[in-house]
Every structure is written in C-alpha cells, then in structure tokens.
C-alpha cells in the first residue's frame, strides 16, 4: 500500500497485544521495523520497542501525524481519552483491537470520514500462529482493509465477521489461549502430583496440544467426535476420562465461562 506518511503503522499502546502484533508483522517480513512507530505510557514498553528498533513517537499526536494507519491497543477504559486526543489529528485510518469499542463510537469522536477497522486478535500471532477476526466501517477502502487483513492472515488465520459478533468472538479465540493454558496447567499439576517429572510432562503435553491442533487443521471437515473416538479405545482409559467430563458436565462449565467472558465484553462495549 502506498503512503505519504513516514510510517505505515503506528501503535498507541504497546503492551502485550500491541507488541505481539508488531513483532509478528516484522517476523513474517510483512512490515519492516522502520515502517512501525510506537507510543506507550510505560518506559519499559518504550525501551522494549527501542530494542526491537521500531520507530519511537513522543505522544499520541506524533503517532497520528506520522503513521498511515493508527493501531489503538490500549485497554477499553483508556480508549476514549486517546480518541479525544486524536480528534485534532484525524488519522486516515484507525485500526482498533480494543474489546467492545464499536466502529460507530470511534466515528462519533473522530468523525464519519475516518476509516475504521476493528480486529480481535490473539497472542499466538507473535509467532505466526494467531487468529484474528476483523470487520470494517462502510467507508473503509479496500486497500486499507486488505493491507490489514493480509497482515493478520500472515500471522495465522484471519476471518471477516459481522461487527455484531465481535463481542461473542472473544470466547472463540480472543480469550481462549488463556483457557488452553489453564487446561494445560491443571493437567501438569495433576501429573506432578502423581510423581511425573515436570519437564517431561510439559514437553509431552505441549506437543500433544500442538499435534492435536495440527491434526484438526489438516482435517477441517471431519467431525470433532471422530477424533475423540479414535483416541478412546473400547473399554480403555480415555473413555473413563471423557465420561467423567460428561458426568461432571464440563460442557456446562465451559458454557458458563463463555457467558461470563462475553458478558464482560458487552459491559466494556460502547
Ligand atoms: N491481551 C490479549 O490477548 C488481547 C487484548 N485485546 C485488547 O487489546 C487491548 C490491549 O490489551 P493488552 O495489550 O493486553 O493490554 P496492556 O495493558 O498489556 O497494554 C496496553 C498498554 O497501553 C498503554 N496505554 C494506555 N493509554 C495509553 C496512551 N494514551 N498512550 C500510550 N499508551 C497508553 C498502557 O499503559 P498504562 O498501563 O500505563 O496505562 C499499556 O502499556 C485491550 O483493549 C484488549 O481488550 C484484544 C485481543 C487479545
Ligand atoms: O482479557 C481481555 O479482556 C482481552 C480480550 C481478549 C483477550 N484479552
């Protein structure tokens, strides 16, 4: 994409997710380090950005004036204050990853002419294994949207979804890396309590998660139940565990957790 601005992408907020996106884009060689500029409140995040050889901005306005697309990566309660500061500097295109922050709200502050892209990424994108759901404002140009869509697609999987599903999607992939880590933590603690060496258990378990995921990926049309049946030998061990999950209604626990997760996204919405 052509631009007259000094930087292609400017980050306001470069914490966990902002840094993950910046690192992911550079690792995949989609953007060069010199095409990124960063501004964050925290000195430690600015030092990390300096160490990564990204451009450093002095404030929010500096990002808006020098970057073609401004990426808003602050926490939901901090977003309005940033948008108010950007009002004077009218970014051409604003990419927001802020949970619950609607396109209509962004345009109500920045003006209807601002192109807006809303994305829900997840942290594994920093190693090219992420997932990102995206949507855009009606006035967003194909060039800007394609540029951002391809950036995220290059870091894993990307899908366009309707904006009214952006809150519900947190319980599909945005928050879900933490669910997976929690599940892994529970299994590991259990293994150690049974005397298994922690390093060995972690290595075997992590590869199991990767391998199971890859097998699912390579057989996208195959029902999940069939994968379970292939592991659960008749009269064997696995079915005992699966039946216990069913008896204790793990599905309802997951449903309850998802409901709370999505409800929080709705509470944060504006
Ligand atoms: N973490 C994740 O997995 C995901 C997060 N998101 C969304 O991404 C956003 C960021 O999340 P995350 O990276 O985890 O949060 P972090 O708290 O790690 O990062 C946000 C950073 O922005 C800084 N900041 C706040 N206001 C400003 C400002 N005006 N100018 C410059 N920097 C500022 C914060 O500094 P300070 O602490 O000093 O305020 C902080 O360093 C959230 O809205 C979240 O909903 C979306 C998908 C996944
Ligand atoms: O926990 C959060 O609010 C953010 C949104 C998705 C992942 N992290």
């Amino acid at each position: 994409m052509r631009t007259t601005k000094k930087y292609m992408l400017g980050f306001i907020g470069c914490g966990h997710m902002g840094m993950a996106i910046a690192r992911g884009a550079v690792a995949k060689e989609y953007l060069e380090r010199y095409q990124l500029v960063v501004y964050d409140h925290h000195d430690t995040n600015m030092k990390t950005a300096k160490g990564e050889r990204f451009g450093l901005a002095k404030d929010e306005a500096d990002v808006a004036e020098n970057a073609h697309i401004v990426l808003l990566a602050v926490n939901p309660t901090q977003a309005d204050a940033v948008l108010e500061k950007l009002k004077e500097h009218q970014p051409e295109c604003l990419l927001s990853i802020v949970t619950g922050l609607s396109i209509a709200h962004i345009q109500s502050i920045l003006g209807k002419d601002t192109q807006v892209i809303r994305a829900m990424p997840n942290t594994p994108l920093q190693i090219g294994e992420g997932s990102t759901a995206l949507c855009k404002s009606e006035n967003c140009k194909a060039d800007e949207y394609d540029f951002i869509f391809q950036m995220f697609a290059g870091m894993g999987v990307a899908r366009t979804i309707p904006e009214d599903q952006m809150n519900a999607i947190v319980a599909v992939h945005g928050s879900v890396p933490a669910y997976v880590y929690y599940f892994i933590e529970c299994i590991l603690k259990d293994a150690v309590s049974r005397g298994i060496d922690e390093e060995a258990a972690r290595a075997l378990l992590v590869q199991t998660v990767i391998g199971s995921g890859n097998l699912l990926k390579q057989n996208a049309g195959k029902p999940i139940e069939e994968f379970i049946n292939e592991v659960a030998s008749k009269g064997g061990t696995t079915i005992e565990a699966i039946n216990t999950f069913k008896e204790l209604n793990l599905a309802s626990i997951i449903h309850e957790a998802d409901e709370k997760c999505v409800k929080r996204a709705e509470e944060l919405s504006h």
Side-chain angles (χ1 to χ4, degrees):
M1 191 177 55
R2 294 167 76 87
T3 183
T4 53
K5 297 283 177 94
K6 187 171 174 193
Y7 301 101
M8 195 60 90
L9 191 59
F11 293 71
I12 299 181
C14 203
H16 295 109
M17 205 61 234
M19 191 59 78
I21 294 170
R23 283 183 171 143
V26 167
K28 285 285 166 183
E29 298 179 348
Y30 192 74
L31 285 164
E32 301 286 350
R33 293 172 195 280
Y34 66 80
Q35 293 178 296
L36 302 180
V37 66
V38 166
Y39 173 65
D40 191 282
H41 275 167
H42 278 286
D43 280 352
T44 47
N45 290 344
M46 290 302 275
K47 277 187 192 138
T48 306
K50 190 177 178 189
E52 296 277 347
R53 290 180 283 121
F54 302 145
L56 303 181
K58 64 177 192 305
D59 56 22
E60 296 90 336
D62 194 14
V63 175
E65 278 168 12
N66 290 300
H68 186 82
I69 299 177
V70 174
L71 200 175
L72 187 59
V74 301
N75 285 302
T77 52
Q78 303 169 317
D80 278 5
V82 178
L83 292 173
E84 288 296 335
K85 285 185 184 164
L86 295 184
K87 229 162 138 175
E88 309 272 291
H89 308 277
Q90 280 298 320
E92 215 158 306
C93 180
L94 188 105
L95 163 62
S96 167
I97 62 160
V98 178
T99 304
L101 189 65
S102 69
I103 291 172
H105 185 77
I106 294 169
Q107 288 187 327
S108 76
I109 299 180
L110 296 184
K112 285 267 170 226
D113 291 341
T114 308
Q115 302 175 68
V116 182
I117 301 171
R118 191 173 162 188
M120 176 51 63
N122 68 11
T123 50
L125 57 66
Q126 64 197 290
I127 56 158
E129 297 287 348
S131 299
T132 306
L134 300 106
C135 61
K136 64 180 181 65
S137 61
E138 274 176 23
N139 66 335
C140 183
K141 294 178 193 149
D143 269 7
E144 272 72 4
Y145 189 67
D146 289 347
F147 178 79
I148 292 301
F149 186 93
Q150 292 308 334
M151 178 181 83
F152 284 115
M155 294 185 248
V157 168
R159 291 285 185 275
T160 298
I161 65 164
E163 192 185 11
D164 63 9
Q165 294 175 3
M166 285 301 275
N167 285 341
I169 212 81
V170 286
V172 174
H173 75 289
S175 293
V176 171
Y179 296 18
V180 174
Y181 302 137
Y182 182 69
F183 198 62
I184 288 172
E185 192 179 43
C186 290
I187 296 178
L188 259 185
K189 280 186 179 157
D190 212 42
V192 170
S193 79
R194 233 172 267 110
I196 297 173
D197 174 69
E198 189 170 355
E199 187 283 326
R202 183 165 171 160
L204 293 165
L205 179 53
V206 169
Q207 184 53 40
T208 299
V209 174
I210 294 168
S212 308
N214 281 335
L215 205 53
L216 282 169
K217 197 172 174 178
Q218 284 172 26
N219 297 276
K222 184 167 153 179
I224 308 283
E225 195 187 5
E226 285 183 29
F227 291 92
I228 297 174
N229 291 340
E230 283 167 13
V231 186
S233 315
K234 271 192 195 123
T237 61
T238 314
I239 198 67
E240 293 297 323
I242 297 291
N243 283 343
T244 306
F245 289 149
K246 288 182 178 170
E247 276 157 32
L248 296 178
N249 214 343
L250 180 61
S252 115
I253 294 172
I254 290 171
H255 173 70
E256 188 68 18
D258 281 346
E259 289 277 291
K260 295 253 169 69
C261 182
V262 174
K263 182 169 169 273
R264 185 62 188 144
E266 275 156 13
E267 285 164 6
L268 292 168
S269 288
H270 57 295

